[in-house]
Amino acid sequence: MLKILIFFVFSVCSVFGYFTLSGECPKNVPVKEEFRLAEFYDKWYQTHYYSSDGQKQNNCSVIQLASKSTGIYLNQSRVDLGLFHRYSVGKLEIPPRIEDAAKLNVSFTFPDAPRRLTVRKYPFYVLATNYNYYATVYTCEYSPLIDKHYIYVWILSRHQILNDVSKELAIKPLAALGIDPKKLVKDDLSKCSPKYFEDMQAEPMTFRYPVPIH
Ligand SMILES: *[C@@H]1O[C@H](CO)[C@@H](O)[C@H](O)[C@H]1NC(C)=O
Ligand SMILES: *[C@@H]1O[C@H](CO)[C@@H](O)[C@H](O)[C@H]1NC(C)=O
Ligand SMILES: *[C@@H]1O[C@H](CO)[C@@H](O)[C@H](O)[C@H]1NC(C)=O
């Protein structure tokens, strides 16, 4: 009970801090056409990101996609708060319609959370990519409780450095979301050997969870 209470209080406090953009998530966000997931596999470095609540919690973020017998999984690893090397593994949901190929969802399972919060699903839309150099991925969550939303955008690169041409292409989709590219934060990939290495799965810090009170 106490755990649930703490979780709840924590979540409610979080909601007010994280969800800063008014109204619902943008509709009809243009995504990558004819997206081919098979070419999106393996490793991506996050060279820049946009987080609408302005939080800067990690560096050295790497996303890795891999197939297992039970599905396709996404492993997000990063250095949290400059101290902890952590990772989170989510399962990708593959859209059945070919037109929606880039509209992936990722779901994380937290067996210890209160039951209605054990599985958390987030959009994970690929807005742009050429598979070999850059990719732009977007998520948005809406909190009906306060009628606000939260956006996170990953600018990903196959290499630790994103070349200028690729960066230009990668930031193009930001215009449709009304995001000023100046608000992108550069991920620092130079100090990636922190003090602590956690080999247990942790909560992903790039997503926000609206408290489901109805
Ligand atoms: C996720 O990636 C990190 C960093 O590469 C690695 O240490 C960890 O073992 C991976 N976890 C899984 C379940 O693949
Ligand atoms: C990320 O790296 C930058 C530049 O080194 C540093 O200023 C910032 O504190 C780091 N952020 C975190 C959360 O470790
Ligand atoms: C992703 O989640 C949304 C909202 O729950 C749902 O409408 C959509 O069908 C899901 N897509 C996939 C590929 O599961």
Side-chain angles (χ1 to χ4, degrees), residues 7-20 25 51-53 55 57 106-110 113-123 139-146 148-152 203-214:
F7 191 86
F8 183 78
V9 169
F10 175 76
S11 307
V12 170
C13 294
S14 309
V15 161
F16 294 104
Y18 294 155
F19 294 84
T20 55
C25 285
S51 182
S52 61
D53 62 3
Q55 292 214 28
Q57 295 181 318
V106 57
S107 67
F108 294 91
T109 305
F110 303 94
R115 191 198 267 179
R116 65 211 290 215
L117 301 175
T118 49
V119 178
R120 299 186 215 162
K121 185 164 80 171
Y122 307 96
T139 194
C140 182
E141 288 102 54
Y142 172 65
S143 171
L145 184 65
I146 52 171
K148 286 192 161 108
H149 67 282
Y150 164 79
I151 287 180
Y152 190 96
E203 178 116 12
M205 295 177 96
T206 40
F207 299 95
R208 309 288 183 247
Y209 198 77
V211 185
I213 299 172
H214 297 292

Side-chain angles (χ1 to χ4, degrees), residues 30 127 170-181:
L127 305 183
I171 64 180
K172 263 192 179 165
L174 297 182
L177 297 167
I179 298 169
D180 180 354

Side-chain angles (χ1 to χ4, degrees), residues 56-59 81-82 188 191:
K56 297 177 193 157
Q57 295 181 318
N58 21 56
N59 280 311
L81 312 169
D188 185 352
K191 285 173 248 145

Side-chain angles (χ1 to χ4, degrees), residues 92-97 100 103-106 121-125:
L92 282 185
E93 289 174 10
I94 314 301
R97 284 159 32 113
D100 293 335
K103 295 184 179 173
L104 303 162
N105 287 334
V106 57
K121 185 164 80 171
Y122 307 96
F124 193 76
Y125 290 4

Side-chain angles (χ1 to χ4, degrees), residues 7-180:
F7 191 86
F8 183 78
V9 169
F10 175 76
S11 307
V12 170
C13 294
S14 309
V15 161
F16 294 104
Y18 294 155
F19 294 84
T20 55
L21 307 172
S22 60
E24 291 186 20
C25 285
K27 296 264 188 304
N28 306 318
V29 174
V31 297
K32 169 77 182 167
E33 285 174 20
E34 296 173 32
F35 174 65
R36 297 182 300 276
L37 183 60
E39 292 179 47
F40 198 73
Y41 274 47
D42 299 328
K43 195 168 182 176
W44 289 99
Y45 296 95
Q46 170 182 276
T47 58
H48 301 78
Y49 63 91
Y50 166 78
S51 182
S52 61
D53 62 3
Q55 292 214 28
K56 297 177 193 157
Q57 295 181 318
N58 21 56
N59 280 311
C60 309
S61 300
V62 173
I63 282 183
Q64 209 150 2
L65 254 78
S67 248
K68 287 191 201 167
S69 58
T70 47
I72 300 166
Y73 292 85
L74 179 116
N75 180 352
Q76 271 198 302
S77 65
R78 73 275 173 179
V79 174
D80 284 342
L81 312 169
L83 276 178
F84 307 95
H85 186 282
R86 289 183 176 145
Y87 70 89
S88 318
V89 177
K91 188 167 194 242
L92 282 185
E93 289 174 10
I94 314 301
R97 284 159 32 113
I98 192 104
E99 310 88 272
D100 293 335
K103 295 184 179 173
L104 303 162
N105 287 334
V106 57
S107 67
F108 294 91
T109 305
F110 303 94
D112 296 335
R115 191 198 267 179
R116 65 211 290 215
L117 301 175
T118 49
V119 178
R120 299 186 215 162
K121 185 164 80 171
Y122 307 96
F124 193 76
Y125 290 4
V126 180
L127 305 183
T129 187
N130 68 352
Y131 309 99
N132 296 322
Y133 287 95
Y134 71 90
T136 311
V137 180
Y138 150 96
T139 194
C140 182
E141 288 102 54
Y142 172 65
S143 171
L145 184 65
I146 52 171
D147 190 29
K148 286 192 161 108
H149 67 282
Y150 164 79
I151 287 180
Y152 190 96
V153 177
W154 291 258
I155 303 290
L156 302 172
S157 169
R158 286 292 191 192
H159 306 279
Q160 297 209 5
I161 292 171
L162 188 63
N163 69 58
D164 290 342
V165 175
S166 295
K167 191 178 171 194
E168 279 305 310
L169 295 168
I171 64 180
K172 263 192 179 165
L174 297 182
L177 297 167
I179 298 169
D180 180 354

